[in-house]
Amino acid sequence: MTCSHELGTSVGKPLLMILNAYAILSGFVVLLRGIAAVLVIGLAYHVLRNRRRAEFSPSERTESENRFYLLSLLSTWLLGLSLISWPLLYLLLQSYVPHWPGVMCIYGVTQIGAGSRGASRFLPDLIAALQCLKPATVFVSGVWWLLYRIQRSTQTGPLVGRILRVQLGFGVLALTDAVIEGVYLVIPKKEEFLSTGCCTSGVSDLSGRSTAWLATLSDGLGPTWLSVVFYLVNLGLVLGLWYFRGCCRRRENTPGMSLVLLGAVLAAPVTAAYLIEIAAPAVLRLPYHHCLYDLIPRAPDMVFAIVLFVMGTCCVGWASAVRWLADFPETKNRARPEQDWLLSACVSCYVGAIVMTFLEVYLV
Amino acid sequence: MNLQRSRWVVRGIGLLIVIGLPIVGTWLRRQSDEGCALDGIRIDPVFAVRIIDARNVESRFCCLQCAVWWVQRRGEKPRQVFVTDEASGRWLEAESAYFVRSGVITNATTGNRVHAFLNRSDAERHASVSRGTILSDLSRPFENIARDDPAN
């Protein structure tokens, strides 16, 4: 992130670890997640290792099954905590805003520590890592939960090995996320100089955002073609998903899941660019303010539309994971209804998000 | 039958949320006070700046720095620029104002240190108290941006 000016704002009292209600709540959730993640990793590894043994006595089998159910219970607990920790991170960052005089939104908080020499120089990278890890953790936990749902209705449990590997990955992601968040909370945030408190500060588009070049193609509110591409791509995706779901209901092995997933993945950057370059400035009624963070306090209804986009993309990913990971003869038929409702959820989420975004941008 | 009915109820609630939320949200945002046209923060009347652009549209800013950045980003000559006299709180044209760059920051986010005054005596007093300098010629805000003369 490059911003041209340095305020040189001296913060009078050194701010060590910021302790407010959200920081304490986040710390507590981090602790619980850390414990749950360690237990999930340990148990998943143990059960996976035991499964490789050729012979089991009846008591060992019962013990292994009990461990698997305990692991599932712990994973459910971890899933809930991971879900809570995602919005909690943004509430925590929003609660930090008043602690620096030059910070006007979460963007400013994410810049605290940039360019410093102490431990606080890691703060911006830690926040960036957290913002990537949280959705990844929720996605993997969703894959585990869906596989576990299918597994429960089987007789021989063919998915156990895959479920355990997914649980192991989920545990590792959740533990990494919890450790990083814990470190972020603990690092003293006593920077004396703040490089920038707002992404709009500066003469030109200096927020360093990767889509800034799009703004240079037009007068502030982004190029018209971006709006056209956004609606075409997303409506095309909805139609594609609708058609694919219909085909899946009629035929057992409908090809094209990879194509649908590719479509959803490719639509994500287009949607992100549209939201940053056109939707956020329009909704905030600030043509040069391309800040999604500002939507949290000023336009929470638009945040709901973004959540729907994220959920839509996740549902496509989950439907693909269910199809590819539950491909045993015993689970295939059980996976189909799961895939069907996930595809229906994708369509509903995308349609809802498109309608909301359209109304938010054009009602202004 | 009941399942089918509950599905329609869920769909109806979903539709209500998807359509109702943006309408209510937009309406609520329209009711709230207008902030700075650049970054949206609350405008302190003592440091407010008003710009009337070539299309006669008025925009308000929280400080001089925001107004200057806004004009430079638009790359368009404003028709009129009004600043607030910090001594009296009254509007005056930027052309007739005295500007002082001092150690006093009016807006911590933008780091604006430029202050506007109607009278030279007020500007000199502020400059001496806060170790500032009175800006002249090209160092004055908006000075390098040629404005349209409304009379022409």
Side-chain angles (χ1 to χ4, degrees):
Chain A
M1 295 285 174
T2 54
C3 251
S4 66
H5 72 114
E6 282 226 336
L7 298 181
T9 310
S10 189
V11 179
K13 213 165 70 176
L15 294 165
L16 294 167
M17 184 188 160
I18 299 169
L19 271 181
N20 60 19
Y22 285 111
I24 292 166
L25 185 62
S26 295
F28 183 62
V29 173
V30 161
L31 194 71
L32 290 180
R33 269 192 308 145
I35 294 167
V38 168
L39 290 173
V40 165
I41 293 168
L43 266 176
Y45 179 72
H46 190 76
V47 178
L48 252 177
R49 241 182 61 179
N50 276 359
R51 267 176 55 83
R52 290 196 183 131
R53 283 168 53 192
E55 286 182 9
F56 276 110
S57 67
S59 64
E60 279 175 334
R61 182 174 290 278
T62 312
E63 198 182 325
S64 177
E65 279 173 5
N66 285 344
R67 278 198 182 129
F68 182 72
Y69 289 122
L70 176 64
L71 180 59
S72 306
L73 214 64
L74 281 167
S75 299
T76 311
W77 180 32
L78 189 57
L79 187 154
L81 289 171
S82 300
L83 270 177
I84 291 168
S85 79
W86 196 0
L88 194 59
L89 171 73
Y90 292 99
L91 292 174
L92 171 80
L93 297 177
Q94 184 65 38
S95 76
Y96 280 173
V97 171
H99 285 83
W100 293 272
V103 171
M104 67 160 285
C105 73
I106 292 176
Y107 174 80
V109 177
T110 64
Q111 298 307 300
I112 293 296
S116 75
R117 287 180 189 169
S120 45
R121 71 180 184 275
F122 298 114
L123 290 172
D125 292 334
L126 291 177
I127 293 186
L130 282 175
Q131 292 190 89
C132 297
L133 273 169
K134 290 208 183 282
T137 311
V138 169
F139 179 77
V140 176
S141 68
V143 172
W144 161 75
W145 184 71
L146 287 162
L147 290 179
Y148 181 65
R149 259 171 68 104
I150 296 166
Q151 155 81 15
R152 279 176 65 178
S153 58
T154 60
Q155 299 290 319
T156 57
L159 288 175
V160 173
R162 287 179 183 178
I163 287 175
L164 287 169
R165 279 184 204 99
V166 172
Q167 271 174 322
L168 202 61
F170 171 36
V172 170
L173 276 173
L175 184 65
T176 315
D177 184 51
V179 168
I180 291 177
E181 196 168 341
V183 171
Y184 177 77
L185 285 170
V186 168
I187 286 181
K189 299 161 186 71
K190 54 174 185 182
E191 287 311 302
E192 299 226 336
F193 295 98
L194 184 64
S195 65
T196 180
C198 170
C199 61
T200 323
S201 304
V203 174
S204 58
D205 276 305
L206 297 166
S207 64
R209 63 185 197 279
S210 53
T211 54
W213 61 275
L214 288 167
T216 62
L217 301 177
S218 68
D219 177 22
L221 275 180
T224 317
W225 62 262
L226 182 60
S227 300
V228 175
V229 169
F230 165 76
Y231 286 108
L232 276 180
V233 165
N234 279 289
L235 288 173
L237 184 64
V238 168
L239 288 176
L241 282 164
W242 185 278
Y243 177 74
F244 182 71
R245 191 190 62 168
C247 289
C248 285
R249 280 178 180 175
R250 285 191 296 274
R251 277 188 296 159
E252 200 176 317
N253 287 320
T254 315
M257 190 78 231
S258 326
L259 211 65
V260 168
L261 181 64
L262 185 73
V265 170
L266 291 179
V270 175
T271 303
Y274 177 81
L275 290 173
I276 295 167
E277 293 304 320
I278 294 171
V283 172
L284 295 168
R285 286 189 284 169
L286 302 168
Y288 303 109
H289 200 70
H290 303 270
C291 185
L292 290 183
Y293 295 122
D294 248 4
L295 295 172
I296 297 171
R298 292 188 199 179
D301 40 317
M302 188 63 206
V303 176
F304 186 72
I306 297 172
V307 169
L308 285 180
F309 272 120
V310 174
M311 274 172 64
T313 311
C314 280
C315 283
V316 179
W318 286 326
S320 312
V322 162
R323 177 152 176 164
W324 292 326
L325 293 174
D327 60 347
F328 293 101
E330 196 185 349
T331 54
K332 249 183 181 175
N333 281 337
R334 289 178 170 88
R336 279 184 73 192
E338 297 288 335
Q339 193 187 307
D340 186 64
W341 80 257
L342 281 167
L343 289 172
S344 301
C346 297
V347 174
S348 305
C349 286
Y350 276 121
V351 169
I354 293 167
V355 171
M356 278 193 82
T357 310
F358 180 82
L359 289 174
E360 293 277 5
V361 172
Y362 294 101
L363 272 180
V364 175
Chain B
M1 189 66 187
N2 272 345
L3 187 74
Q4 196 70 15
R5 206 175 136 187
S6 63
R7 269 186 190 167
W8 279 108
V9 169
V10 169
R11 278 176 196 160
I13 292 169
L15 200 69
L16 205 70
I17 291 171
V18 160
I19 295 174
L21 260 183
I23 294 170
V24 173
T26 309
W27 180 77
L28 285 174
R29 277 191 290 282
R30 276 193 195 147
Q31 307 303 309
S32 60
D33 290 339
E34 250 182 52
C36 173
L38 188 80
D39 55 22
I41 62 173
R42 201 181 59 81
I43 299 173
D44 186 339
V46 179
F47 309 114
V49 179
R50 244 167 65 202
I51 289 180
I52 297 163
D53 69 13
R55 279 160 278 179
N56 259 344
V57 177
E58 188 186 280
S59 303
R60 290 181 180 235
F61 302 90
C62 59
C63 66
L64 276 160
Q65 189 64 76
C66 276
V68 168
W69 281 336
W70 188 83
V71 169
Q72 286 175 336
R73 281 192 190 186
R74 277 179 84 94
E76 194 182 81
K77 300 165 192 169
R79 193 176 286 271
Q80 273 179 305
V81 180
F82 295 97
V83 294
T84 310
D85 172 27
E86 282 188 25
S88 65
R90 267 187 267 157
W91 290 110
L92 68 144
E93 276 221 65
E95 279 176 358
S96 56
Y98 292 95
F99 292 103
V100 179
R101 185 184 297 279
S102 73
V104 180
I105 295 173
T106 66
N107 180 338
T109 307
T110 60
N112 178 60
R113 292 164 190 269
V114 182
H115 305 258
F117 297 94
L118 172 64
N119 299 316
R120 190 172 177 90
S121 56
D122 291 329
E124 284 172 342
R125 196 178 309 126
H126 179 82
S128 66
V129 168
S130 53
R131 280 184 281 174
T133 48
I134 296 178
L135 303 177
S136 58
D137 303 327
L138 282 174
S139 60
R140 285 164 60 87
F142 312 107
E143 206 52 46
N144 50 357
I145 306 157
R147 280 182 294 281
D148 281 340
D149 186 350
N152 292 335

